[in-house]
Amino acid sequence: MTRADQTTLGAPAGLCGQCVHAQVNQTRRGPAYLRCLRAAWDERMTRYPRLPMARCPGFEPGS
């Protein structure tokens, strides 16, 4: 996730800001939200997590 993506969210992303599974989606009307792509196959995860995330069992740092 880029710094611009984090600014668009309007809230600190916490761990999600550094995770490979995080994706920022922006609607046509302007609001942006963060989606956890890992939630598609991992039942422990929430599709749209509450930010900021301090702990996450599926966290994987990005490159």
Side-chain angles (χ1 to χ4, degrees), residues 10-34:
L15 282 178
C16 295
Q18 302 163 8
C19 185
V20 297
H21 304 293
Q23 178 182 30
V24 175
N25 294 333
Q26 189 161 5
T27 66
R28 284 183 258 146
R29 294 183 181 202
Y33 56 92
L34 187 132

Side-chain angles (χ1 to χ4, degrees), residues 16 21 34-40 42-50 53 56-57:
C16 295
H21 304 293
L34 187 132
R35 181 174 179 202
C36 178
L37 300 176
R38 185 177 177 129
D42 189 341
E43 295 177 0
R44 301 174 300 165
M45 311 308 296
T46 304
R47 186 177 292 171
Y48 302 103
R50 298 181 104 194
M53 289 294 290
C56 179

